[in-house]
Amino acid sequence: PIHRLVTAPNKGKEHTTPLVLLHLVPEEQQQSSVLPNESDMGLPSSPGWKKGRLDELTDWAVNDRANRPIICEYESNGLWLWTRWKDTVLSMIAVPVLLSMLVGFGVDVAAHSYSEYSWSVLAIPPTDDPLVVSLQGLNSLWEYQFTLCSLVLTFFTAEAYKHWRSVYYTTGAIQGRINDICLLVTIGSQRNNPASQELVACCTRLLKTSHTFFWAATLTHSDGVGDRRNNEAKLGKNAIEPLLLSPEGLKGLVQAGELTMEEAESLLNSGLPPSQYTYILMEWVGLSIMEGLDMGLLGRSGSNRQSGLEENLLRQLTALRGEYFNIGDFTAGRMPLAYVQLIQILVDSLVLLAPFSLYGKLGGLSIPLTGLLTFFFKGLLELSKSFLDPFGNEGYHGQNIHVDVLVSELNFGLSSRWVKAAEAYPKAPPNGKAAVLPKRDH
């Protein structure tokens, strides 16, 4: 096997150690790779294989066809909803529900064992029983807490869902801004000028790779790779960034035609960490657009249309930068610690006291009702925390936003939609009117 090393010296740095761009994978290692199922090949969320990991991530970065919806979908049929288990509230709080019912059963057994009275399993205990009398004060306090918890938890759930929707809409806004830039560049290009079309292809490719780098550098458990590797997710590791943004990963993208060798070397020599590669490519796109405007490759030189095109493109680029930053801001400022802690204590104490507080009025019926109460209150709390974790990094996978679908959707739009739409633009008729076909006899 031949190992090819490509080095790029660090210019202007105090140390003289060269940066190794990449080495090719030995042939025997490629042949010994365990390939995935053929039905999963080339799809963004296909399971990876250990020795072919680089090929898998390259496919993930360039694929333009998604194999699952952006979020977990549902059917409106009631029976279908009742029978779902995976990634639902039922699976989240099954254990707390059973534990609360077990505590309620223990209270019932203790009441029958130590009371001087006797009553049936489903009957209400005597009101003058010492245990029932001692629980009346607790029940009064619990009812006040029940009202407070219902109000606060409802508001908390609404705010958590608002956070989830903001993140979801921001992911779509990122796609929208990139599509806007490509649409404007395609419209402003000169279709009969090879240099202009080359500029369009360059900007489109760099924007697509910039979007891929952003999600590769963002810690998620819903990228089509990490959600198939639970051990890495539990350790809080990103399943994509360490390899895709490494020198080896950049060379894989060079081989896939997403980067040139000079661009990969420039990224490595930029002095910035891999998490900033997204913004480097964005700036390259802006510089390419400005050069294209100066050279007359975009717009019409010396006209107001060119200045308007420049203004719109720069506005979209800065808006895209803002949407990228919003994802990090939403993650960092999703909810203050003290607020979440207070809700957690409020709900836990309500559920913990429920078997004792309800027993005096309900008797044995408090056992199933305690489980039902736990289901609703703990379920809302866990559902709210899953809304605050839209990428599943903390173990809440039911409401994940699937990043691999975002990447493949944008790849399709930039690779096919705008360029092919411009190529299909028909020539206008001489008089500007469409030809009218003669009527046919039927």
Side-chain angles (χ1 to χ4, degrees), residues 6-11 17-21 265-266 268-269:
V6 182
T7 61
N10 290 325
K11 298 180 180 180
T17 305
L19 288 175
V20 179
L21 182 56
E265 291 178 352
S266 297
L268 291 173
N269 290 327

Side-chain angles (χ1 to χ4, degrees), residues 9 15-16 38 41 45 66 77 82 91 115 130 153 166-167 174 202 232 237 260 324 327 329 383 386-387 408 425 430:
H15 58 280
T16 58
E38 288 186 1
M41 287 288 289
S45 58
N77 181 272
W82 269 90
S91 61
S115 177
L153 184 58
S166 297
V167 175
I174 291 173
C202 177
E232 290 183 355
K237 296 180 179 179
T260 65
Y324 276 144
I327 294 294
D329 293 340
L383 183 62
S386 72
F387 286 148
S408 59
Y425 179 65

Side-chain angles (χ1 to χ4, degrees), residues 31 36 105 127 229 293 380:
Q31 295 174 357
F105 178 76
T127 56
R229 294 184 171 87
L293 290 169
L380 280 174

Side-chain angles (χ1 to χ4, degrees), residues 109-123:
V109 171
H112 280 86
S113 300
Y114 295 101
S115 177
E116 298 177 355
Y117 301 92
S118 62
W119 60 91
S120 62
V121 176
L122 299 180

Side-chain angles (χ1 to χ4, degrees), residues 344-357:
Q344 184 75 53
I345 295 174
L346 186 63
V347 173
D348 287 346
S349 59
L350 179 78
V351 170
L352 181 62
L353 295 176
F356 305 95
S357 303

Side-chain angles (χ1 to χ4, degrees), residues 138-214:
L138 181 62
N139 178 262
S140 300
L141 175 63
W142 185 86
E143 288 179 350
Y144 284 113
Q145 185 179 2
F146 178 85
T147 304
L148 175 64
C149 187
S150 300
L151 178 63
V152 175
L153 184 58
T154 301
F155 180 76
F156 181 74
T157 304
E159 290 299 307
Y161 180 61
K162 186 185 298 184
H163 169 82
W164 185 92
R165 287 175 64 89
S166 297
V167 175
Y168 178 77
Y169 287 145
T170 302
T171 61
I174 291 173
Q175 291 180 315
R177 300 295 75 73
I178 295 178
N179 276 284
D180 289 344
I181 296 170
C182 291
L183 174 62
L184 290 171
V185 170
T186 305
I187 292 175
S189 65
Q190 301 170 8
R191 289 189 296 161
N192 297 325
N193 188 333
S196 179
Q197 293 305 306
E198 184 179 348
L199 175 62
V200 172
C202 177
C203 292
T204 300
R205 176 177 55 80
L206 290 179
L207 282 171
K208 182 172 66 173
T209 307
S210 170
H211 180 258
T212 301
F213 282 174
F214 175 78

